Amino acid sequence: MAGQDERPQVLLLSSNLRRRYAEDILTALALPRGATLQFRYEAQYVAPPLQQKVANGSILGVRALIGFVADADSPTDAFILPVRVAEVVAAECAADVFLFKLRVTDHVDLDDYSLSRADIVAESRKVLDKIIEGNGGAYYPAVLKFPAFPIRTSEDQAQLWLSVARRLALHTTFESSYFMRVDQPVHLAKATSFAFEPDGRLSLSDLKPARLPVSFYSPRYTEAPKIALTCSTDGRFLRVSSDASHDVALRYDSTEFWLQPDAASFDALTHVTIRLGPEEAGSTPVAAIRLPVIVRHSRVRLLSRVAISALGAFLVAMPAILGAHSPLALRIVLAVVGAGALSAATIVMGRPRS
């Protein structure tokens, strides 16, 4: 268990002012460890000390805390809740907008937080007042100076995720939402997990098909609107080789999607998108993640294809090399086997597949 001395140095809050902002929170909660997301703030919402840290580059590698905030100006209804720990992997200011690229790490342990909305609201006002006080009397959703939150981390990530989801659901923004958790991708035939590359991309190849375990939870279940869990890809370089959608008829459950790479004769950058929410667009925030995937052309497969092609061509040529004095049956067998090898290399092992 991580101690309080490892507290995050940066606090990045997303609100319910727009549905997209609330969906950023659902995305942060849903992403598998090592995946990345981006937070955007106009300069007026980034505290000056944090702006300076971005400018001099010292923000990189810093531990950050992602949180949800609502009604920050209200004396009675303010609501703030930690959601996920992350690491800042890139930050820049472009056209008066600050962009923070974050690699998510641990879920947070909120055991010290009540499951009563009234209790969370009462504590939230105190926390927000301290944030304002520490930043010269102004409120910023992106700050360096903020009070220590009573959070920890532990190994049971599934339980921590559920704990955060239950408390987020106490706010009206998420009371009808479905919360999603995507675990580390796992090899289809092995127990090994795929780690994301430093830039947040997932690397797969012909020899590395993957399955994505997905879990979901909702504080309530309703017949309408219809809720669906879907997985989509580009369909060319990366295919879904399992059912691509599930009708959600429970408040909580788990499933998995199978991903099959179809590499061309070159490496390709594509994506996989997993979405959980009402089929028709509405006001309810939707949990959705988009994972960039590099589909690598398998060098092993390429060498195998070249070797089999060469063997096939050699066998096809053997009857002519042996000459007419060799047995006819032998020449026929060699030609047939060679043609089969060429067909396997060209058709079966060829790329891309339709």
Side-chain angles (χ1 to χ4, degrees), residues 138-176:
Y139 167 70
Y140 300 98
V143 296
L144 288 176
K145 299 178 181 179
F146 58 96
F149 287 86
I151 61 172
R152 298 178 298 274
T153 59
S154 71
E155 297 300 322
D156 192 351
Q157 296 295 299
Q159 187 59 40
L160 300 188
W161 165 82
L162 183 59
S163 175
V164 175
R166 283 175 171 166
R167 286 164 175 82
L168 282 174
L170 296 174
H171 196 272
T172 54
T173 300
F174 301 110
E175 63 183 3
S176 298

Side-chain angles (χ1 to χ4, degrees), residues 12-15 18-25 27 36-46 90-94 96-102 141-142:
L12 300 176
L13 299 173
S14 191
S15 69
R18 297 181 184 177
R19 191 183 72 171
R20 175 62 186 274
Y21 298 165
E23 289 178 345
D24 284 343
I25 290 298
T27 298
T36 60
L37 78 162
Q38 184 170 272
F39 270 32
R40 308 148 302 277
Y41 297 96
E42 292 184 14
Q44 61 181 317
Y45 299 122
V46 180
E92 63 175 335
C93 180
D96 206 35
V97 174
F98 280 82
L99 305 175
F100 295 89
K101 185 175 182 180
L102 309 168

Side-chain angles (χ1 to χ4, degrees), residues 6 14 152 193 277 287 291:
E6 298 180 29
S14 191
R152 298 178 298 274
S193 297
L291 302 175

